């Protein structure tokens, strides 16, 4: 019995495990939505194979599991092809309307489905050629976004929020700092250089820290020896 049945039983169980490993991918490609008939056939074969396994028909179970696995692998491929076509069609529609940011996003979705798609690569290249980098700075203080902060970028002073358009890809923002005052508190921070290595719009949040040390003009009254009080200006 071991010689004639155990190998077939183990093979059937192994293929069933391989089918289970396909479940996350079937969910990712939304197979149930886009190719429901193919998925249903694969599941039907899987259920039949499990019945055969429970009945002890191990050879038949292994063969049926193999058929189920092949059908589900085919289902994944069909769903990916559907999602790829959907993304490409959307991208071409956006490109036709000169909505290049959306066209680029669609091209990147298409490449996520098939990194080798030449059509997706061409669409991405076309969209990128019509886009220039832009960068929006928003300032946050204690976790909330504030307006009216002073932002210094390469020696030029702006008021937040700040948006820099038509940046040159490959350029660098070498000097960046921001400051903000409210309710007698002061906040400031200096940030690292930024290499412009992207396409299209990008948003960067500048989180400021409270400054504790005094500033020029601050007045403080101190008590000197002998009880003499005297005001000092920083």
């Amino acid at each position: 019995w071991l010689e004639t049945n155990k190998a077939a039983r183990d093979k059937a169980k192994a293929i069933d495990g391989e089918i289970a490993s396909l479940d996350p991918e079937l969910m990712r490609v939304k197979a149930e939505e886009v190719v429901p008939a193919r998925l249903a056939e694969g599941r039907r074969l899987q259920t039949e194979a499990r019945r055969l396994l429970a009945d002890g028909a191990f050879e038949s179970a292994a063969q049926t599991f193999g058929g189920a696995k092949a059908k589900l692998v085919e289902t994944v491929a069909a769903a990916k092809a559907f999602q790829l076509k959907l993304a490409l069609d959307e991208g071409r529609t956006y490109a036709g309307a000169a909505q290049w940011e959306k066209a680029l996003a669609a091209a990147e979705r298409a490449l996520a489905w098939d990194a080798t798609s030449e059509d997706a690569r061409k669409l991405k290249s076309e969209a990128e050629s019509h886009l220039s980098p832009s960068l929006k700075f928003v300032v946050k203080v204690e976790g909330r976004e504030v307006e009216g902060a002073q932002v210094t970028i390469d020696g030029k002073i702006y008021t937040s929020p700040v948006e820099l358009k038509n940046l040159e890809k490959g350029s660098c923002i070498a000097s960046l700092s921001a400051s903000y005052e409210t309710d007698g508190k002061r906040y400031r921070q200096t940030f690292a250089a930024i290499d412009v290595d992207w396409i299209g719009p990008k948003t960067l949040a500048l989180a400021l820290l409270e400054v504790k040390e005094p500033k020029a003009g601050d007045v403080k009254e101190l008590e000197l020896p002998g009880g003499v009080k005297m005001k000092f200006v920083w």
Side-chain angles (χ1 to χ4, degrees):
W1 184 91
L2 288 175
E3 291 178 357
T4 58
N5 292 281
K6 184 176 182 300
R9 184 194 64 180
D10 291 347
K11 180 179 179 182
K13 287 185 174 181
I15 299 174
D16 193 20
E18 293 169 2
I19 290 174
S21 70
L22 291 172
D23 288 344
E25 186 67 0
L26 287 164
M27 291 182 63
R28 187 181 77 86
V29 299
K30 299 181 180 179
E32 191 170 3
E33 295 180 21
V34 300
V35 284
R38 291 173 184 264
L39 179 63
E41 177 60 14
R43 294 304 191 198
R44 185 192 68 77
L45 289 171
Q46 185 182 18
T47 299
E48 175 64 14
R50 286 176 174 172
R51 184 188 66 77
L52 291 169
L53 182 63
D55 291 344
F58 303 132
E59 285 285 355
S60 296
Q63 292 177 2
T64 308
F65 272 129
K69 179 184 174 183
K71 177 59 67 174
L72 292 174
V73 168
E74 176 187 306
T75 298
V76 169
K80 279 186 177 180
F82 180 91
Q83 298 287 11
L84 173 64
K85 183 178 183 303
L86 181 64
L88 285 173
D89 287 347
E90 287 182 358
R92 289 172 181 137
T93 299
Y94 288 132
Q99 297 181 9
W100 297 111
E101 291 176 14
K102 292 181 178 180
L104 178 60
E108 289 175 340
R109 286 199 303 275
L111 287 169
W113 292 117
D114 182 1
T116 66
S117 170
E118 190 61 30
D119 288 339
R121 289 178 180 175
K122 287 180 180 178
L123 178 61
K124 181 179 180 180
S125 177
E126 181 184 9
E128 287 182 340
S129 69
H130 287 84
L131 286 173
S132 59
S134 66
L135 181 57
K136 181 179 180 181
F137 293 104
V138 296
V139 175
K140 289 190 174 183
V141 170
E142 296 179 358
R144 63 183 180 87
E145 185 177 330
V146 298
E147 295 184 356
Q150 181 176 293
V151 181
T152 303
I153 304 171
D154 288 339
K156 294 182 179 179
I157 299 175
Y158 304 85
T159 300
S160 70
V162 182
E163 187 168 5
L164 304 180
K165 296 183 177 181
N166 299 319
L167 296 172
E168 182 180 349
K169 188 175 180 182
S171 62
C172 176
I173 297 173
S175 175
L176 175 63
S177 64
S179 62
Y180 182 72
E181 294 189 24
T182 181
D183 298 329
K185 293 183 177 181
R186 293 178 294 123
Y187 301 85
R188 187 172 65 240
Q189 185 67 286
T190 299
F191 302 91
I194 300 172
D195 292 322
V196 181
D197 57 0
W198 66 91
I199 289 293
K202 183 176 182 178
T203 299
L204 181 63
L206 306 176
L208 308 189
L209 301 177
E210 185 177 358
V211 179
K212 299 292 187 179
E213 65 267 19
K215 68 174 181 177
D218 283 353
V219 177
K220 185 174 184 179
E221 186 175 68
L222 301 177
E223 185 171 334
L224 304 180
V228 177
K229 292 184 178 180
M230 191 170 185
K231 290 182 178 180
F232 292 84
V233 180
W234 185 266

